[in-house]
Amino acid sequence: MKKMGMIFGSLIFVLAAVLAVLAVTDAQKSRLLQQEMKRMDKQISKMQKSSESMEKELEELKKETEKRALEAAEGDTAEAGQNGETKEDSLSAEAGKNARDADDTAALSAAEPRSNGRKVAIDPGHQGPGADTGGTEPLGPGSEEMKDKFASGTQGVYTGVPEYELTLAVSKQLQTELQSRGYEVIMTREDNDTAVSNVERAQIATENGARILVRIHADGSEDNSANGAMTMIPSAENPYVGQLHEESSRLGENIINAYCQATGIRNNGVRLYDNMTGINWSTVPVTILEMGFMTNQSDDEKMQDPDMQKNMVQGIADGIDAYFSP
């Protein structure tokens, strides 16, 4: 019994020792766990600090980037201001330039219509007195009859405007109108100071390949009641250009009819003249348009009216169109 008590006591002692060991082991584990947790806390704290540092750096970098962008924008604005424009103005100016280019292209297309393949010669009658050089020339090819190379023309009795100024003014407007209709226009003169003889006027038309020659003149008479317009052409019996009579007649008729219809000026018809040097040297259908009498007050004043001149030009151009129509 005593032996069993000793064994029992020994077991209790061993058990207590085991429990003590276990307790010690648990305590050590606990301490180790606590140490590990502290280490992890320190690591987490360190990572948090590192993250905060990175966020701070990112924030500073962002601010620096925004600052530089703002400075760059201000610099561009200042530079544009020195040039008298902002970026927005530059874009607006560029858009405006593009629009103007488009308008210019459209205007150019409108100003340069497709050619109709027809070339006409316009001869503004006479020239200024400073251009008259005198001399004579044959009435026609091979003719022994000589005529003055130059003629001074008449003058507006009521307006005081000389014929050579009127004919050039109307002819230049006619040139523009015909070009707008697709014609190529040859002008025998383009100023009042260049001397061009009657023969040379016809030769200019021939040398430049004109299909017709339209000579622009104004009439005069000692009878100031004489008025109206007419066209002059060669007769079929003309020894120099009789072969041009038929086509010249058709040209003269188309022009005088359209001219008088557009202006309301009296129509004196188509008349035959075989003593005109500028007609007799022509190699293409030819006519002289006498637009009205500068010695008649009504005709004289009408022919100097800008609106009437537009009608005159339209009428002549319409007559040329009619001549070339099928």
Side-chain angles (χ1 to χ4, degrees):
M1 188 71 166
K2 182 177 180 180
K3 185 177 180 179
M4 289 181 65
M6 291 175 64
I7 291 172
F8 182 74
S10 297
L11 290 172
I12 292 174
F13 177 78
V14 171
L15 179 60
V18 170
L19 291 173
V21 170
L22 291 174
V24 170
T25 301
D26 290 339
Q28 289 177 342
K29 288 183 178 181
S30 177
R31 283 197 300 274
L32 291 173
L33 181 60
Q34 289 176 356
Q35 289 176 356
E36 184 64 22
M37 290 178 66
K38 288 181 180 181
R39 189 183 69 79
M40 290 178 67
D41 286 341
K42 289 180 180 180
Q43 187 68 22
I44 291 171
S45 177
K46 184 178 180 181
M47 289 176 66
Q48 288 178 339
K49 289 181 179 180
S50 177
S51 177
E52 290 174 357
S53 177
M54 288 180 65
E55 289 179 358
K56 185 176 180 181
E57 290 178 359
L58 287 173
E59 185 65 26
E60 290 177 352
L61 180 60
K62 180 180 178 182
K63 290 180 179 179
E64 181 66 20
T65 301
E66 291 176 349
K67 179 180 178 182
R68 291 182 180 179
L70 181 60
E71 289 175 349
E74 290 175 347
D76 289 344
T77 301
E79 183 179 355
Q82 291 174 354
N83 294 331
E85 60 179 13
T86 64
K87 284 186 176 180
E88 191 171 299
D89 292 333
S90 298
L91 292 174
S92 177
E94 182 66 20
K97 180 180 181 298
N98 292 338
R100 287 193 299 273
D101 288 344
D103 290 342
D104 289 344
T105 300
L108 185 61
S109 297
E112 297 180 357
R114 181 177 297 177
S115 172
N116 62 22
R118 295 163 180 161
K119 186 182 294 187
V120 302
I122 302 300
D123 175 32
H126 308 289
Q127 58 270 306
D132 292 349
T133 60
T136 60
E137 58 192 359
L139 175 62
S143 173
E144 294 183 359
E145 182 179 351
M146 306 298 287
K147 290 192 66 175
D148 289 339
K149 287 184 176 182
F150 309 97
S152 59
T154 187
Q155 179 172 313
V157 172
Y158 299 90
T159 64
V161 177
E163 182 182 355
Y164 64 84
E165 286 188 2
L166 171 64
T167 60
L168 183 61
V170 172
S171 294
K172 283 186 172 181
Q173 294 177 61
L174 178 59
Q175 177 186 25
T176 300
E177 178 61 27
L178 290 174
Q179 287 172 337
S180 74
R181 300 187 186 198
Y183 291 93
E184 183 177 348
V185 180
I186 306 301
M187 298 285 285
T188 61
R189 71 179 179 95
E190 297 189 71
D191 60 61
N192 291 318
D193 302 319
T194 302
V196 186
S197 77
N198 291 311
V199 171
E200 290 171 337
R201 294 168 189 267
Q203 290 174 337
I204 288 172
T206 298
E207 291 168 359
N208 287 278
R211 293 179 59 179
I212 59 173
L213 171 59
V214 178
R215 308 186 64 195
I216 307 299
H217 283 252
D219 218 337
S221 173
E222 293 182 358
D223 179 5
N224 61 14
S225 66
N227 66 94
M230 67 175 176
T231 50
M232 304 162 66
I233 64 167
S235 72
E237 291 75 31
N238 186 298
Y240 311 107
V241 288
Q243 75 279 7
L244 298 178
H245 166 73
E246 185 175 345
E247 283 301 302
S248 296
S249 178
R250 193 165 66 85
L251 175 64
E253 185 174 356
N254 279 312
I255 288 178
I256 193 62
N257 289 341
Y259 176 82
C260 291
Q261 182 176 355
T263 62
I265 292 176
R266 177 182 174 182
N267 189 339
N268 291 330
V270 181
R271 301 188 181 183
L272 303 178
Y273 281 81
D274 290 336
N275 62 342
M276 298 291 178
T277 308
I279 286 180
N280 294 343
W281 281 86
S282 183
T283 59
V284 296
V286 57
T287 188
I288 295 176
L289 170 64
E290 296 284 0
M291 299 181 291
F293 281 80
M294 300 192 81
T295 49
N296 176 269
Q297 182 173 2
S298 177
D299 283 3
D300 185 22
E301 291 176 347
K302 282 180 180 179
M303 289 188 292
Q304 295 304 325
D305 180 80
D307 291 333
M308 175 58 75
Q309 286 188 3
K310 292 179 182 178
N311 294 336
M312 293 160 67
V313 166
Q314 288 293 320
I316 301 170
D318 288 347
I320 292 173
D321 278 345
Y323 171 78
F324 283 110
S325 296

